[in-house]
Amino acid sequence: MPRGMGRGYGRGGYYGRRAYPFGGFYGILDLLILLGILYFLFKLFLVALPYALGLVILLVLRAFLRSNPGIWFEPF
């Protein structure tokens, strides 16, 4: 166990709980970074969605046009 553990260091408040999980400057900075990541992922999803739908439509068309209709989405 590292030195200082067990003496109450790093517990973060009253009985190990803090009233505000995003309190202070670094908490607000963490929240802003988290919101930025979520915004980026949402924009990435909106850009990639038409390509993914087009790929699914092409795979379904390929499956319908194959000579063996019992096996769908067989690789190559």
Side-chain angles (χ1 to χ4, degrees):
M1 185 178 291
R3 290 179 59 187
M5 296 303 289
R7 295 186 192 152
Y9 297 125
R11 287 191 179 173
Y14 185 70
Y15 292 115
R17 287 180 254 157
R18 292 189 330 198
Y20 303 105
F22 292 107
F25 174 73
Y26 290 110
I28 293 171
L29 186 64
D30 285 342
L31 184 61
L32 288 176
I33 290 173
L34 181 65
L35 287 176
I37 291 170
L38 290 175
Y39 176 74
F40 176 75
L41 288 175
F42 180 70
K43 295 291 277 189
L44 188 66
F45 173 74
L46 286 180
V47 168
L49 183 65
Y51 296 105
L53 286 177
L55 181 64
V56 167
I57 289 171
L58 286 175
L59 286 173
V60 168
L61 277 173
R62 178 179 171 260
F64 277 125
L65 294 176
R66 290 188 60 136
S67 62
N68 189 1
I71 300 174
W72 278 30
F73 303 111
E74 181 180 321
F76 306 108

